[in-house]
Amino acid sequence: MALLVLGLLIWVGAHIFKRVAPEQRAAMGDTGKLIVTVALVISIGLMIWGYRGAAFIHVWSPPSFMVHINNLLMLVALFVFGMSATTGRLRGKMRHPQLVSVKIWAVAHLLVNGDLASIILFGGLLAWAVLEVIIINRAEPVWNRPQPGEAKKDVLLVVITLVSFVVIAAIHAWLGVWPFPG
């Protein structure tokens, strides 16, 4: 559990460092980018290692129908995440699509996982995403909304979302976590 918490703390620190100390971060130049990247990779490794190695401590039992809600929310999360890269009509509909996606992803996983390690991991990342949006919005209150592009790019986003969902479901199955009710 300690590795999981350490990974979360490094993740939050590496992301928020740029926001709370922008001058110091800018002064570090490319070296700073490398340090943050290495810290994020280490944090992901620690979160995975800590989560997989954590003892199962039961907190609550999610009802079985939550799996359906989780899967629907995961499709939405992937779609919203993709909105950050789309050049279609949906571009600019949401200010923080990646962070909103993390929030949806975290809530979806909290709905189907009732153990302490899951609550720490997904709840911690949910709290980070909320905090990050607040910090960004305070630092940059004005948002210049990008102009929408072509609708056919949104169709591509739907296709990429569906393919991504299948790949992620396959990875979960490969790891021994069957993501569909049976």
Side-chain angles (χ1 to χ4, degrees):
M1 199 74 72
L3 294 176
L4 171 59
V5 172
L6 179 61
L8 273 169
L9 291 174
I10 293 171
W11 176 270
V12 171
H15 277 92
I16 293 199
F17 173 61
K18 174 182 172 182
R19 305 292 176 197
V20 297
E23 295 85 20
Q24 292 86 341
R25 171 58 194 87
M28 296 171 71
D30 287 341
T31 302
K33 289 180 184 177
L34 178 62
I35 291 169
V36 169
T37 300
V38 169
L40 291 173
V41 169
I42 289 169
S43 73
I44 292 169
L46 287 171
M47 285 188 283
I48 292 169
W49 192 17
Y51 182 74
R52 301 274 298 173
F56 183 86
I57 300 171
H58 179 82
V59 176
W60 74 292
S61 297
S64 60
F65 71 86
M66 287 294 185
V67 174
H68 300 291
I69 295 171
N70 172 75
N71 288 337
L72 178 62
L73 288 174
M74 286 309 304
L75 276 168
V76 172
L78 290 169
F79 183 82
V80 169
F81 190 88
M83 285 175 61
S84 68
T86 188
T87 56
R89 302 288 305 161
L90 295 172
R91 182 173 136 180
K93 294 291 184 191
M94 186 179 298
R95 182 169 181 183
H96 306 289
Q98 290 180 348
L99 291 168
V100 170
S101 175
V102 170
K103 292 176 196 177
I104 296 167
W105 168 84
V107 168
H109 282 77
L110 286 168
L111 292 176
V112 293
N113 293 287
D115 62 293
L116 184 59
S118 294
I119 292 168
I120 291 171
L121 176 62
F122 303 118
L125 289 171
L126 174 60
W128 161 74
V130 169
L131 178 64
E132 190 81 17
V133 168
I134 292 168
I135 291 171
I136 292 169
N137 288 348
R138 284 188 181 158
E140 303 164 17
V142 177
W143 177 48
N144 295 321
R145 187 180 301 270
Q147 292 298 314
E150 302 174 68
K152 68 181 178 181
K153 298 291 185 169
D154 295 332
V155 173
L156 180 61
L157 174 58
V158 171
V159 171
I160 291 170
T161 296
L162 294 172
V163 170
S164 298
F165 182 81
V166 169
V167 169
I168 291 169
I171 291 169
H172 277 72
W174 178 69
L175 290 171
V177 180
W178 185 245
F180 304 105

